[in-house]
Amino acid sequence: MNVATQPTGPTETIVIPARGWQITPSHALLVGALCWAGFALVAWAVHSNAAAAFDAAGLRFWRNSRDLGWAGGKASLEAVRDVTALGGVTLRIAFTMAALAALLFLRMRREAVLLLLTLLSGLAVGLTLKALVGRPRPDLVPHLEYAGGLSFPSGHSFNSALGMIAVALAFATFSRRRSVRWTIIGSAVVASMAVAFSRVMLGVHFPTDVIAGWLGGAGWAFLAAAVLARPARRIADHNAAAIEAATPGAMAEIKPPTAAPDPR
């Protein structure tokens, strides 16, 4: 009796998405420069103590007048903690690793390398700024969540804006439709802003901490998209074989992208 031989080759075909769009370097530089100009303005306001009244009002806005406790109910406080957790170290690392794995699986090596360079360099920038400013955390209201370390700029705000916007810019390259790209990037902006302001609501950051942190993280994401794009391309192309060997699904059949008209 002849027994049919089971196929041993790949059973899945990966279609590499076409790079339908890439942010114009001059546009990325402009947005990044505007964000960092805003960061510098906020830093000046903090250094000159011009923002003291604004910071105090922002912290007390979410609190009752009796004991400065949370003004809302338990459900709303839990929701704020859930939002702030999106910018925590654990979820941020998981989100980043998932994004990198997806890009590599789809053979978007250049985008994966650019994302990694953006996040690592941005992390160094954020930590350096914290050390240089050395601002302690607010003590005007009770903290509703544990937070250690220095306060300016907010690490949650900086890294959430940096990571979410950088990932959005990477995945926006898949679409030739402007409306899709705006939706992806806009969602990252809104989500990272929500994380930023949850820190003020929990009392662990001044409003100026989170504004500066968000502007710095967003600014670095856009600057890196312009400045690090060419180095990332060179690194990805030079190490293509090594990256391919370590890529998930490396044994699957690869089909090149097909050209498609711009459906604007």
Side-chain angles (χ1 to χ4, degrees):
M1 178 183 296
N2 293 329
V3 179
T5 304
Q6 295 295 324
T8 58
T11 59
E12 182 178 5
T13 298
I14 298 173
V15 179
I16 305 176
R19 291 177 174 87
W21 171 84
Q22 185 175 12
I23 189 168
T24 305
S26 59
H27 293 171
L29 283 172
L30 176 61
V31 175
L34 289 174
C35 286
W36 280 105
F39 178 95
L41 181 62
V42 176
W44 170 84
V46 170
H47 180 72
S48 64
N49 208 35
F54 171 75
D55 277 338
L59 282 168
R60 294 191 176 106
F61 183 81
W62 317 99
R63 306 307 177 97
N64 61 54
S65 58
R66 179 172 51 85
D67 59 358
L68 295 179
W70 178 249
K74 291 183 179 180
S76 61
L77 177 57
E78 187 64 23
V80 174
R81 287 173 173 159
D82 288 342
V83 171
T84 210
L86 296 175
V89 175
T90 301
L91 287 182
R92 198 169 66 239
I93 291 176
F95 175 68
T96 300
M97 296 301 293
L100 287 171
L103 290 170
L104 290 174
F105 184 83
L106 294 170
R107 302 306 189 267
M108 307 294 279
R109 292 186 293 268
R110 298 172 186 176
E111 288 76 10
V113 173
L114 176 58
L115 176 59
L116 185 60
L117 291 179
T118 299
L119 296 177
L120 292 178
S121 59
L123 179 62
V125 170
L127 292 174
T128 300
L129 290 171
K130 270 186 177 288
L132 288 175
V133 176
R135 187 186 199 185
R137 290 188 182 271
D139 57 4
L140 294 175
V141 298
H143 294 184
L144 300 178
E145 182 181 80
Y146 169 77
L150 298 171
S151 193
F152 184 98
S154 162
H156 267 68
S157 307
F158 188 102
N159 291 311
S160 294
L162 172 70
M164 292 183 184
I165 293 175
V167 169
L169 289 173
F171 282 89
T173 62
F174 294 169
S175 179
R176 296 175 181 271
R177 297 179 59 185
R178 183 181 292 121
S179 59
V180 174
R181 300 194 300 263
W182 276 99
T183 299
I184 293 171
I185 297 171
S187 297
V189 167
V190 171
S192 58
M193 283 184 171
V195 171
F197 284 99
S198 71
R199 307 303 286 167
V200 179
M201 298 170 77
L202 293 173
V204 296
H205 275 294
F206 293 104
T208 47
D209 294 338
V210 303
I211 295 172
W214 190 90
L215 287 170
W220 193 260
F222 282 104
L223 285 179
V227 175
L228 298 180
R230 287 186 178 180
R233 185 181 300 112
R234 288 196 297 268
I235 293 171
D237 292 345
H238 182 72
N239 298 280
I243 295 174
E244 183 71 18
T247 296
M251 297 302 294
E253 179 186 353
I254 307 299
K255 294 180 66 176
T258 55
D262 190 343
R264 296 186 188 184

